[in-house]
Amino acid sequence: MKFNKKLVHGRLIKRYKRFLADVKLEDGQEITAHCTNSGSMKTCLEEGAEVYLSPVDDPKRKTQFTWEMIMINGKWIGINTNHPNLLAYEAIRSGQVPALRGYDEVKREVKFQDSRFDVMAKNDKETCFIEVKNVTMKDGDFALFPDAKTERGRKHLQTLIRVKEEGLRAVMFYVVQRMDVAKAGPAVDIDPAYADALKKAIDSGVEVIAMQAEVSPDGIDLVKEIPFQWPH
């Protein structure tokens, strides 16, 4: 995924009210950017850290920038939660995900019963529904999800279980937008209920895939699959 506009460099002043971040640009101007990430952003917030923003040409929008990434310990971390769905869709469509190859039809935002899934992949043998989550929290060599309690995340897992009950394929796909980890897993201490729901989903036949994304001011690329396991 390439950014279609040149990003704007600055330094983080502070993030507040979840969806806002004040940033000092290189010319000294202080602006407010939109933050798409509704989580705590634990382990990827550091005042004074380098950030990149994408400019928005929409006179109706209050903020004219969207916060894309932050530099932590010399590595870029992607914090825009809108990108993982597109990254997963593009990777599945182009055959980059070994476990999800062989589908003729790949679509985004497809309804199932009373829910909507991020991606649906289909061939003449099976239909697969895929839910995508953005992962940015680091604990040792683990990337953990979620970084705050998520009732919505639990509901998605319950819907994936219903997909399996209908005889279809169901996949939970975690996109890890940082390269300084080696594996992914559930943040049991932060949301034990989510971890329990994930375990039930896996026991029901829901598959889990975690892929790592390399983030840079030019774009974001899914580069490799990493193991998904429970942290000890």
Side-chain angles (χ1 to χ4, degrees):
M1 190 204 92
K2 299 298 177 192
F3 292 111
N4 53 21
K5 291 180 184 171
K6 186 175 170 58
L7 300 189
V8 177
H9 182 262
R11 289 190 178 269
L12 179 66
I13 298 171
K14 63 177 178 178
R15 180 230 190 180
Y16 55 103
K17 293 183 180 176
R18 287 202 299 174
F19 298 111
L20 298 174
D22 286 345
V23 173
K24 188 172 186 177
L25 304 183
E26 285 184 347
D27 63 3
Q29 182 186 0
E30 293 185 6
I31 60 92
T32 299
H34 175 59
C35 174
T36 62
N37 195 320
S38 62
S40 70
M41 290 182 63
K42 193 175 179 180
T43 75
C44 50
L45 274 181
E46 191 177 290
E47 291 182 5
E50 287 185 75
V51 297
Y52 269 105
L53 317 171
S54 55
V56 179
D57 295 329
D58 182 356
K60 293 176 185 174
R61 212 175 95 163
K62 288 181 181 177
T63 52
Q64 296 306 300
F65 295 92
T66 298
W67 184 11
E68 296 290 351
M69 64 191 74
I70 185 167
M71 176 78 78
I72 302 286
N73 296 327
K75 303 279 188 185
W76 287 114
I77 300 167
I79 58 94
N80 189 332
T81 53
N82 291 336
H83 295 325
N85 289 4
L86 177 59
L87 287 164
Y89 166 75
E90 287 181 346
I92 295 163
R93 198 178 57 165
S94 62
Q96 277 180 269
V97 186
L100 294 173
R101 286 179 184 147
Y103 290 108
D104 321 306
E105 186 184 341
V106 183
K107 290 183 177 177
R108 296 179 69 190
E109 300 294 330
V110 177
K111 282 193 75 173
F112 171 82
Q113 294 178 0
D114 58 348
S115 301
R116 189 180 296 274
F117 278 105
D118 297 318
V119 183
M120 182 203 74
K122 197 173 183 181
N123 58 26
D124 57 0
K125 293 177 184 170
E126 66 180 17
T127 298
C128 177
F129 284 97
I130 301 143
E131 180 64 28
V132 183
K133 295 294 180 195
N134 180 63
V135 188
T136 56
M137 189 173 74
K138 171 181 162 72
D139 185 5
D141 60 352
F142 267 95
L144 298 179
F145 181 89
D147 66 2
K149 288 191 176 181
T150 172
E151 187 177 336
R152 190 164 174 260
R154 289 204 309 277
K155 286 179 179 174
H156 288 147
L157 291 171
Q158 289 159 3
T159 309
L160 284 169
I161 290 172
R162 294 210 309 271
V163 168
K164 282 301 296 178
E165 288 170 350
E166 292 292 323
L168 307 172
R169 190 179 180 193
V171 174
M172 184 68 245
F173 194 122
Y174 295 100
V175 173
V176 179
Q177 285 203 78
R178 60 189 304 161
M179 292 298 291
D180 56 352
V181 291
K183 47 198 171 185
V188 180
D189 293 343
I190 287 176
D191 194 343
Y194 180 85
D196 286 346
L198 179 60
K199 189 174 186 309
K200 283 177 187 166
I202 292 169
D203 289 345
S204 301
V206 175
E207 299 163 61
V208 175
I209 295 170
M211 287 197 76
Q212 202 164 25
E214 190 161 18
V215 179
S216 81
D218 295 321
I220 307 172
D221 296 303
L222 281 185
V223 291
K224 63 179 177 180
E225 191 169 345
I226 56 175
F228 189 92
Q229 54 193 241
W230 254 245
H232 299 298

